[in-house]
Amino acid sequence: MSKVGKGVRVKRRKTFVAALAAPLVVSLAWIAVPSATAAQELSGKTVEFNVLAADGASAEAVEAAVRSAGGTVVSTNKAVGLVTATAPENGFTARLSGNAAVDGAAKVKSIGKSPDAKATKAKVKDVEKENKSGSNGTGKHGNAVAGMDPLDSQLWGLTAVRSHMARTTQAGDKRVKVGVLDTGVDGSHPDIAPNFDHALSRNFTHDIVNDDLGQEVDGPCEYAGCVDPADVDNGGHGTHVAGTIAAAADGFGISGVAPNVSIVNIRGGQDSGYFFLQPVVDAMTYSGDAGLDVVNMSFYVDPWLYNCKSNPADSPEQQAEQKVIIKAITRAMNYAYRKGVTQIVSLGNQHQDLGKPLPDATSPDFPAGTEHTRTIDNADCLSMPIEGPHALGVSALGPSLGKADYSNYGFERISVSAPGGYFRDGLGTPTYRTNGNLILSSYPKNVALTEGAIDEEGNVTPDGAALGVQKACKADGTCGYYQFLQGTSMASPHATGVAALIVSQYGKYSHGQVSLHPDKVERVLEGTAFDKSCPSPRTVDYTLVGRPAEFNATCEGDAAFNNFYGHGVVDAYAAVTNGKKFLK
């Protein structure tokens, strides 16, 4: 099947994109290498290409092939065999043809997305934006326990997964490193800063200012060299995700599911909300090399929602591009797994059974205007990374713990379910279509200002207040901002936080690091999730909340495992107190 969802935010604000949104500003046009002689003329302006090694070929062999064909090697991911090179735009791929070391080549194109477009673009569409002080003591394994923070009373997801109870036993350990592969993380946010690992954080993207037509993509560069620092998030999605995972429990603002673990920014998404192949692959392999324990991924790799190897609606060049994406992401995920990384992935916001995909009319989503309707063959098409190896897929729930209308589902890819927000939950009650049904988490000040949620003086505007944007300040004047979002992008970080607690509780501590095999994390995560039966009747009619009939979904299976909730709803308390038996 093929479906992936990007994080989602509840989109009632004009210029805000929610999340698992797949951000990316540059497009890869994978080019099938045609048969031609090595004497093919090179012409045209110099552009970037991505060149993928054939199975069994070394990265060095690909680099040699690039140079022989007249290109210049810019960077190489040896773990995956993905080389970025520059060369004249015409003739380079023909010169590579027939080289046994090369699997495929792709020209990198900038695309026409404006800053306003990024506010409305979301890989996962239809997201509607619509206590006590924390104290630290010593718990088992030398890990700290924690209390609750002032805004936690609004975090129904935190209590739904019983993080408030788990933290009295296990609140996480700083030596456990959680990677956020997203649009970036605001390391200066007062709820993120205490747990942010500056030394390990990386940004694998560069801002794309304009496309070839002069249209803005990411917009003007904020920093010299057009590379944002590794503690900056100009999209907002990654910071929201990070707050749900591990906002510090320190008597201020909010706290995360695992409030004492470390957050590592491994940025692979653009400001504009797209996720490019090369940065994503680099971030995935880095997670293994850096010794990260868990990585959260709330996106799909652009430009294809489904990567199909032989869809008749696609050109040979487009088919070649999709094959390379599948192969490169598969290699990267296998590499991270072998290095001990547990990979948590949002299931997607296309409101469909992933084993019975609906037609895709959104791909390719760049360059603009190239999308076309395709019938999706479940046997031929994959959405990445949710359909990649070792992905633990998470569906989204509302406050009633029913499946959110937008959430994907299905036996093929689901592992567990978790709170993701559901604006339309509570039909017939005062909570219906209210912000409280969404997920509240950290919001970068720079993004809040750009989106008009706050003014130049830092005060919440009327538009921001209507969206539930909140401001909290410390005695020293330091302030943090918070916003409500919904989506499977908000569900996966709840599961990621629980996975981090599992590593903290049961991992092997040695030389300042912690390790627990991903298979063991999976067994505990799924084994301690609490059973959730199918609703009665089993078919949920979402037209009652104003959705088209295609949103209607039928639950299959039993309480132990079904296509709506997988093995159940993640349970932090059960995981840290009763998970040991699943390690045997």
Side-chain angles (χ1 to χ4, degrees), residues 147-158:
M148 303 290 282
D149 282 350
L151 297 181
D152 286 351
S153 59
Q154 300 180 55
L155 307 188
W156 59 267
L158 199 69

Side-chain angles (χ1 to χ4, degrees), residues 130-163:
E130 307 192 34
N131 295 326
K132 297 178 182 177
S133 217
S135 60
N136 291 331
T138 301
K140 294 182 179 180
H141 268 80
N143 302 321
V145 296
M148 303 290 282
D149 282 350
L151 297 181
D152 286 351
S153 59
Q154 300 180 55
L155 307 188
W156 59 267
L158 199 69
T159 52
V161 303
R162 300 208 291 177
S163 168

Side-chain angles (χ1 to χ4, degrees), residues 201-279:
S201 291
R202 299 287 187 275
N203 174 16
F204 295 96
T205 72
H206 63 275
D207 288 345
I208 308 300
V209 180
N210 301 312
D211 67 2
D212 292 337
L213 300 177
Q215 295 176 300
E216 288 186 331
V217 180
D218 283 331
C221 296
E222 296 90 353
Y223 298 91
C226 291
V227 176
D228 295 340
D231 60 354
V232 168
D233 178 11
N234 287 317
H237 186 264
T239 299
H240 194 281
V241 165
T244 297
I245 297 169
D250 55 3
F252 171 81
I254 63 169
S255 65
V257 174
N260 288 344
V261 303
S262 295
I263 287 291
V264 181
N265 176 26
I266 50 172
R267 177 176 169 179
Q270 304 294 142
D271 289 347
S272 50
Y274 293 100
F275 285 82
F276 225 3
L277 179 63
Q278 181 76 55

Side-chain angles (χ1 to χ4, degrees), residues 373-402:
T373 300
R374 305 183 298 161
T375 298
I376 302 302
D377 181 353
N378 191 47
D380 182 61
C381 305
L382 295 173
S383 187
M384 306 298 280
I386 184 58
E387 298 195 283
H390 313 296
L392 301 183
V394 187
S395 67
L397 310 174
S400 69
L401 298 191

Side-chain angles (χ1 to χ4, degrees), residues 471-530:
K471 176 182 181 180
C473 297
K474 297 182 177 181
D476 65 1
T478 301
C479 298
Y481 297 89
Y482 308 87
Q483 66 170 331
F484 285 101
L485 297 179
Q486 74 173 5
T488 55
S489 289
M490 282 65 253
S492 59
H494 282 88
T496 296
V498 176
L501 292 178
I502 291 169
V503 177
S504 298
Q505 183 69 10
Y506 306 109
K508 179 180 179 181
Y509 287 74
S510 177
H511 301 98
Q513 294 185 320
V514 191
S515 62
L516 187 63
H517 195 279
D519 289 349
K520 293 184 177 180
V521 177
E522 178 181 3
R523 291 203 299 271
V524 177
L525 185 71
E526 295 178 347
T528 59
F530 65 84

Side-chain angles (χ1 to χ4, degrees), residues 10 128 130 156-157 160 396-406 418-439 486 532 535 540-542 544-547 565:
V10 175
E128 308 168 76
E130 307 192 34
W156 59 267
L397 310 174
S400 69
L401 298 191
K403 186 188 83 68
D405 55 358
Y406 57 79
Y422 178 19
F423 187 62
R424 305 179 188 218
D425 208 353
L427 179 65
T429 75
T431 64
Y432 179 59
R433 297 179 71 92
T434 59
N435 289 326
N437 286 338
L438 310 179
I439 303 299
Q486 74 173 5
K532 184 79 170 71
V540 180
D541 185 357
Y542 291 110
L544 298 176
V545 294
R547 295 300 198 186
Y565 311 112

Side-chain angles (χ1 to χ4, degrees), residues 329-393:
I329 294 296
T330 296
R331 288 180 183 175
M333 295 182 76
N334 278 327
Y335 182 85
Y337 170 80
R338 291 194 300 270
K339 291 281 190 172
V341 182
T342 297
Q343 299 168 86
I344 309 291
V345 186
S346 62
L347 211 57
N349 303 337
Q350 290 76 39
H351 61 269
Q352 55 188 295
D353 183 335
L354 295 181
K356 304 170 185 176
L358 298 173
D360 173 24
T362 66
S363 302
D365 60 10
F366 59 81
T370 60
E371 66 276 3
H372 52 271
T373 300
R374 305 183 298 161
T375 298
I376 302 302
D377 181 353
N378 191 47
D380 182 61
C381 305
L382 295 173
S383 187
M384 306 298 280
I386 184 58
E387 298 195 283
H390 313 296
L392 301 183

